[in-house]
PDB file of all heavy atoms in Angstrom:
ATOM      1  N   GLY A  25       0.803  -1.218   0.000  1.00  0.00           N
ATOM      2  CA  GLY A  25       0.000   0.000   0.000  1.00  0.00           C
ATOM      3  C   GLY A  25       0.835   1.266   0.000  1.00  0.00           C
ATOM      4  O   GLY A  25       1.833   1.362  -0.693  1.00  0.00           O
ATOM      5  N   ARG A  26       0.442   2.225   0.805  1.00  0.00           N
ATOM      6  CA  ARG A  26       1.156   3.508   0.876  1.00  0.00           C
ATOM      7  C   ARG A  26       1.998   3.627   2.131  1.00  0.00           C
ATOM      8  O   ARG A  26       2.394   4.711   2.524  1.00  0.00           O
ATOM      9  CB  ARG A  26       0.154   4.650   0.780  1.00  0.00           C
ATOM     10  CG  ARG A  26      -0.470   4.745  -0.614  1.00  0.00           C
ATOM     11  CD  ARG A  26      -1.532   5.767  -0.655  1.00  0.00           C
ATOM     12  NE  ARG A  26      -2.730   5.134  -0.085  1.00  0.00           N
ATOM     13  CZ  ARG A  26      -3.913   5.670  -0.013  1.00  0.00           C
ATOM     14  NH1 ARG A  26      -4.103   6.881  -0.455  1.00  0.00           N
ATOM     15  NH2 ARG A  26      -4.925   5.025   0.498  1.00  0.00           N
ATOM     16  N   GLY A  27       2.248   2.504   2.788  1.00  0.00           N
ATOM     17  CA  GLY A  27       3.135   2.511   3.947  1.00  0.00           C
ATOM     18  C   GLY A  27       2.519   3.057   5.210  1.00  0.00           C
ATOM     19  O   GLY A  27       3.237   3.476   6.119  1.00  0.00           O
ATOM     20  N   GLY A  28       1.206   3.026   5.313  1.00  0.00           N
ATOM     21  CA  GLY A  28       0.538   3.549   6.506  1.00  0.00           C
ATOM     22  C   GLY A  28       0.998   2.887   7.791  1.00  0.00           C
ATOM     23  O   GLY A  28       1.139   3.544   8.829  1.00  0.00           O
ATOM     24  N   PHE A  29       1.278   1.587   7.728  1.00  0.00           N
ATOM     25  CA  PHE A  29       1.717   0.876   8.933  1.00  0.00           C
ATOM     26  C   PHE A  29       3.065   1.390   9.414  1.00  0.00           C
ATOM     27  O   PHE A  29       3.325   1.447  10.618  1.00  0.00           O
ATOM     28  CB  PHE A  29       1.761  -0.641   8.692  1.00  0.00           C
ATOM     29  CG  PHE A  29       2.883  -1.098   7.792  1.00  0.00           C
ATOM     30  CD1 PHE A  29       4.033  -1.642   8.336  1.00  0.00           C
ATOM     31  CD2 PHE A  29       2.774  -1.003   6.415  1.00  0.00           C
ATOM     32  CE1 PHE A  29       5.061  -2.084   7.520  1.00  0.00           C
ATOM     33  CE2 PHE A  29       3.793  -1.446   5.591  1.00  0.00           C
ATOM     34  CZ  PHE A  29       4.943  -1.981   6.143  1.00  0.00           C
ATOM     35  N   VAL A  30       3.925   1.813   8.481  1.00  0.00           N
ATOM     36  CA  VAL A  30       5.231   2.370   8.855  1.00  0.00           C
ATOM     37  C   VAL A  30       5.044   3.725   9.524  1.00  0.00           C
ATOM     38  O   VAL A  30       5.641   4.011  10.563  1.00  0.00           O
ATOM     39  CB  VAL A  30       6.159   2.491   7.632  1.00  0.00           C
ATOM     40  CG1 VAL A  30       7.414   3.276   7.969  1.00  0.00           C
ATOM     41  CG2 VAL A  30       6.518   1.118   7.091  1.00  0.00           C
ATOM     42  N   GLU A  31       4.206   4.561   8.939  1.00  0.00           N
ATOM     43  CA  GLU A  31       3.977   5.892   9.503  1.00  0.00           C
ATOM     44  C   GLU A  31       3.356   5.796  10.905  1.00  0.00           C
ATOM     45  O   GLU A  31       3.732   6.541  11.806  1.00  0.00           O
ATOM     46  CB  GLU A  31       3.081   6.720   8.583  1.00  0.00           C
ATOM     47  CG  GLU A  31       3.038   8.166   8.994  1.00  0.00           C
ATOM     48  CD  GLU A  31       2.451   9.062   7.922  1.00  0.00           C
ATOM     49  OE1 GLU A  31       2.104   8.592   6.834  1.00  0.00           O
ATOM     50  OE2 GLU A  31       2.331  10.266   8.210  1.00  0.00           O
ATOM     51  N   ILE A  32       2.448   4.860  11.097  1.00  0.00           N
ATOM     52  CA  ILE A  32       1.840   4.672  12.423  1.00  0.00           C
ATOM     53  C   ILE A  32       2.907   4.244  13.424  1.00  0.00           C
ATOM     54  O   ILE A  32       2.957   4.746  14.560  1.00  0.00           O
ATOM     55  CB  ILE A  32       0.695   3.645  12.352  1.00  0.00           C
ATOM     56  CG1 ILE A  32      -0.489   4.244  11.591  1.00  0.00           C
ATOM     57  CG2 ILE A  32       0.270   3.188  13.746  1.00  0.00           C
ATOM     58  CD1 ILE A  32      -1.567   3.244  11.228  1.00  0.00           C
ATOM     59  N   ALA A  33       3.777   3.315  13.027  1.00  0.00           N
ATOM     60  CA  ALA A  33       4.842   2.854  13.929  1.00  0.00           C
ATOM     61  C   ALA A  33       5.807   3.997  14.243  1.00  0.00           C
ATOM     62  O   ALA A  33       6.239   4.150  15.390  1.00  0.00           O
ATOM     63  CB  ALA A  33       5.594   1.682  13.305  1.00  0.00           C
ATOM     64  N   MET A  34       6.149   4.807  13.238  1.00  0.00           N
ATOM     65  CA  MET A  34       7.033   5.960  13.461  1.00  0.00           C
ATOM     66  C   MET A  34       6.406   6.926  14.452  1.00  0.00           C
ATOM     67  O   MET A  34       7.053   7.381  15.387  1.00  0.00           O
ATOM     68  CB  MET A  34       7.322   6.680  12.140  1.00  0.00           C
ATOM     69  CG  MET A  34       8.250   5.955  11.226  1.00  0.00           C
ATOM     70  SD  MET A  34       8.402   6.906   9.682  1.00  0.00           S
ATOM     71  CE  MET A  34       9.813   6.119   8.945  1.00  0.00           C
ATOM     72  N   ARG A  35       5.136   7.222  14.235  1.00  0.00           N
ATOM     73  CA  ARG A  35       4.435   8.177  15.092  1.00  0.00           C
ATOM     74  C   ARG A  35       4.347   7.666  16.528  1.00  0.00           C
ATOM     75  O   ARG A  35       4.475   8.438  17.483  1.00  0.00           O
ATOM     76  CB  ARG A  35       3.042   8.431  14.523  1.00  0.00           C
ATOM     77  CG  ARG A  35       2.363   9.623  15.145  1.00  0.00           C
ATOM     78  CD  ARG A  35       1.135  10.045  14.392  1.00  0.00           C
ATOM     79  NE  ARG A  35       1.550  10.760  13.193  1.00  0.00           N
ATOM     80  CZ  ARG A  35       0.991  10.622  11.993  1.00  0.00           C
ATOM     81  NH1 ARG A  35      -0.011   9.792  11.830  1.00  0.00           N
ATOM     82  NH2 ARG A  35       1.421  11.311  10.969  1.00  0.00           N
ATOM     83  N   ALA A  36       4.163   6.346  16.684  1.00  0.00           N
ATOM     84  CA  ALA A  36       4.045   5.761  18.021  1.00  0.00           C
ATOM     85  C   ALA A  36       5.403   5.484  18.651  1.00  0.00           C
ATOM     86  O   ALA A  36       5.479   5.189  19.845  1.00  0.00           O
ATOM     87  CB  ALA A  36       3.236   4.472  17.951  1.00  0.00           C
ATOM     88  N   GLY A  37       6.473   5.545  17.840  1.00  0.00           N
ATOM     89  CA  GLY A  37       7.810   5.278  18.361  1.00  0.00           C
ATOM     90  C   GLY A  37       8.047   3.803  18.669  1.00  0.00           C
ATOM     91  O   GLY A  37       8.796   3.471  19.582  1.00  0.00           O
ATOM     92  N   VAL A  38       7.397   2.924  17.898  1.00  0.00           N
ATOM     93  CA  VAL A  38       7.533   1.485  18.121  1.00  0.00           C
ATOM     94  C   VAL A  38       8.082   0.819  16.862  1.00  0.00           C
ATOM     95  O   VAL A  38       7.936   1.342  15.759  1.00  0.00           O
ATOM     96  CB  VAL A  38       6.181   0.842  18.506  1.00  0.00           C
ATOM     97  CG1 VAL A  38       5.670   1.430  19.812  1.00  0.00           C
ATOM     98  CG2 VAL A  38       5.158   1.019  17.405  1.00  0.00           C
ATOM     99  N   PRO A  39       8.702  -0.351  17.020  1.00  0.00           N
ATOM    100  CA  PRO A  39       9.189  -1.062  15.837  1.00  0.00           C
ATOM    101  C   PRO A  39       8.063  -1.835  15.155  1.00  0.00           C
ATOM    102  O   PRO A  39       6.997  -2.041  15.731  1.00  0.00           O
ATOM    103  CB  PRO A  39      10.220  -2.035  16.418  1.00  0.00           C
ATOM    104  CG  PRO A  39       9.725  -2.306  17.792  1.00  0.00           C
ATOM    105  CD  PRO A  39       9.099  -1.008  18.258  1.00  0.00           C
ATOM    106  N   VAL A  40       8.311  -2.258  13.932  1.00  0.00           N
ATOM    107  CA  VAL A  40       7.417  -3.162  13.210  1.00  0.00           C
ATOM    108  C   VAL A  40       8.013  -4.553  13.338  1.00  0.00           C
ATOM    109  O   VAL A  40       9.225  -4.728  13.171  1.00  0.00           O
ATOM    110  CB  VAL A  40       7.301  -2.756  11.718  1.00  0.00           C
ATOM    111  CG1 VAL A  40       6.618  -3.835  10.903  1.00  0.00           C
ATOM    112  CG2 VAL A  40       6.561  -1.442  11.579  1.00  0.00           C
ATOM    113  N   ILE A  41       7.188  -5.539  13.645  1.00  0.00           N
ATOM    114  CA  ILE A  41       7.638  -6.930  13.746  1.00  0.00           C
ATOM    115  C   ILE A  41       7.124  -7.670  12.508  1.00  0.00           C
ATOM    116  O   ILE A  41       5.955  -8.052  12.450  1.00  0.00           O
ATOM    117  CB  ILE A  41       7.089  -7.628  15.014  1.00  0.00           C
ATOM    118  CG1 ILE A  41       7.276  -6.783  16.266  1.00  0.00           C
ATOM    119  CG2 ILE A  41       7.681  -9.021  15.149  1.00  0.00           C
ATOM    120  CD1 ILE A  41       8.686  -6.608  16.714  1.00  0.00           C
ATOM    121  N   PRO A  42       7.979  -7.877  11.497  1.00  0.00           N
ATOM    122  CA  PRO A  42       7.525  -8.585  10.285  1.00  0.00           C
ATOM    123  C   PRO A  42       7.334 -10.074  10.569  1.00  0.00           C
ATOM    124  O   PRO A  42       8.090 -10.682  11.326  1.00  0.00           O
ATOM    125  CB  PRO A  42       8.666  -8.378   9.295  1.00  0.00           C
ATOM    126  CG  PRO A  42       9.572  -7.362   9.897  1.00  0.00           C
ATOM    127  CD  PRO A  42       9.340  -7.385  11.364  1.00  0.00           C
ATOM    128  N   ILE A  43       6.322 -10.653   9.943  1.00  0.00           N
ATOM    129  CA  ILE A  43       6.031 -12.077  10.102  1.00  0.00           C
ATOM    130  C   ILE A  43       5.817 -12.678   8.718  1.00  0.00           C
ATOM    131  O   ILE A  43       5.052 -12.152   7.915  1.00  0.00           O
ATOM    132  CB  ILE A  43       4.782 -12.288  10.976  1.00  0.00           C
ATOM    133  CG1 ILE A  43       5.021 -11.724  12.377  1.00  0.00           C
ATOM    134  CG2 ILE A  43       4.395 -13.765  11.034  1.00  0.00           C
ATOM    135  CD1 ILE A  43       3.826 -11.754  13.282  1.00  0.00           C
ATOM    136  N   ALA A  44       6.497 -13.793   8.441  1.00  0.00           N
ATOM    137  CA  ALA A  44       6.342 -14.514   7.179  1.00  0.00           C
ATOM    138  C   ALA A  44       5.571 -15.800   7.455  1.00  0.00           C
ATOM    139  O   ALA A  44       5.878 -16.512   8.407  1.00  0.00           O
ATOM    140  CB  ALA A  44       7.710 -14.825   6.585  1.00  0.00           C
ATOM    141  N   VAL A  45       4.569 -16.079   6.624  1.00  0.00           N
ATOM    142  CA  VAL A  45       3.736 -17.271   6.799  1.00  0.00           C
ATOM    143  C   VAL A  45       3.732 -18.068   5.499  1.00  0.00           C
ATOM    144  O   VAL A  45       3.422 -17.526   4.437  1.00  0.00           O
ATOM    145  CB  VAL A  45       2.279 -16.892   7.165  1.00  0.00           C
ATOM    146  CG1 VAL A  45       1.411 -18.126   7.306  1.00  0.00           C
ATOM    147  CG2 VAL A  45       2.243 -16.059   8.427  1.00  0.00           C
ATOM    148  N   VAL A  46       4.067 -19.348   5.595  1.00  0.00           N
ATOM    149  CA  VAL A  46       4.001 -20.254   4.454  1.00  0.00           C
ATOM    150  C   VAL A  46       2.953 -21.313   4.774  1.00  0.00           C
ATOM    151  O   VAL A  46       2.946 -21.868   5.867  1.00  0.00           O
ATOM    152  CB  VAL A  46       5.376 -20.911   4.188  1.00  0.00           C
ATOM    153  CG1 VAL A  46       5.253 -22.056   3.208  1.00  0.00           C
ATOM    154  CG2 VAL A  46       6.360 -19.882   3.678  1.00  0.00           C
ATOM    155  N   GLY A  47       2.061 -21.551   3.839  1.00  0.00           N
ATOM    156  CA  GLY A  47       1.020 -22.562   4.012  1.00  0.00           C
ATOM    157  C   GLY A  47      -0.376 -22.018   3.792  1.00  0.00           C
ATOM    158  O   GLY A  47      -1.267 -22.750   3.373  1.00  0.00           O
ATOM    159  N   ALA A  48      -0.583 -20.756   4.065  1.00  0.00           N
ATOM    160  CA  ALA A  48      -1.917 -20.171   3.929  1.00  0.00           C
ATOM    161  C   ALA A  48      -2.386 -20.182   2.474  1.00  0.00           C
ATOM    162  O   ALA A  48      -3.573 -20.369   2.202  1.00  0.00           O
ATOM    163  CB  ALA A  48      -1.915 -18.745   4.466  1.00  0.00           C
ATOM    164  N   GLU A  49      -1.473 -20.019   1.544  1.00  0.00           N
ATOM    165  CA  GLU A  49      -1.837 -19.985   0.127  1.00  0.00           C
ATOM    166  C   GLU A  49      -2.405 -21.321  -0.343  1.00  0.00           C
ATOM    167  O   GLU A  49      -3.228 -21.360  -1.237  1.00  0.00           O
ATOM    168  CB  GLU A  49      -0.617 -19.612  -0.724  1.00  0.00           C
ATOM    169  CG  GLU A  49      -0.036 -18.265  -0.405  1.00  0.00           C
ATOM    170  CD  GLU A  49      -0.828 -17.113  -0.976  1.00  0.00           C
ATOM    171  OE1 GLU A  49      -1.685 -17.336  -1.844  1.00  0.00           O
ATOM    172  OE2 GLU A  49      -0.579 -15.980  -0.543  1.00  0.00           O
ATOM    173  N   GLU A  50      -1.943 -22.412   0.251  1.00  0.00           N
ATOM    174  CA  GLU A  50      -2.431 -23.726  -0.138  1.00  0.00           C
ATOM    175  C   GLU A  50      -3.699 -24.112   0.603  1.00  0.00           C
ATOM    176  O   GLU A  50      -4.459 -24.960   0.141  1.00  0.00           O
ATOM    177  CB  GLU A  50      -1.354 -24.791   0.106  1.00  0.00           C
ATOM    178  CG  GLU A  50      -0.199 -24.717  -0.858  1.00  0.00           C
ATOM    179  CD  GLU A  50       0.871 -23.722  -0.446  1.00  0.00           C
ATOM    180  OE1 GLU A  50       0.807 -23.187   0.674  1.00  0.00           O
ATOM    181  OE2 GLU A  50       1.780 -23.478  -1.255  1.00  0.00           O
ATOM    182  N   ALA A  51      -3.943 -23.528   1.756  1.00  0.00           N
ATOM    183  CA  ALA A  51      -5.124 -23.856   2.540  1.00  0.00           C
ATOM    184  C   ALA A  51      -6.400 -23.333   1.879  1.00  0.00           C
ATOM    185  O   ALA A  51      -7.456 -23.949   1.993  1.00  0.00           O
ATOM    186  CB  ALA A  51      -5.006 -23.289   3.950  1.00  0.00           C
TER     187      ALA A  51
END
């Protein structure tokens, strides 16, 4: 998207915790 999640994290002063999921595409 337009990076809204990054701007929210910046504004709140918190890090982003990325999560990768494999398997949902086949389910």
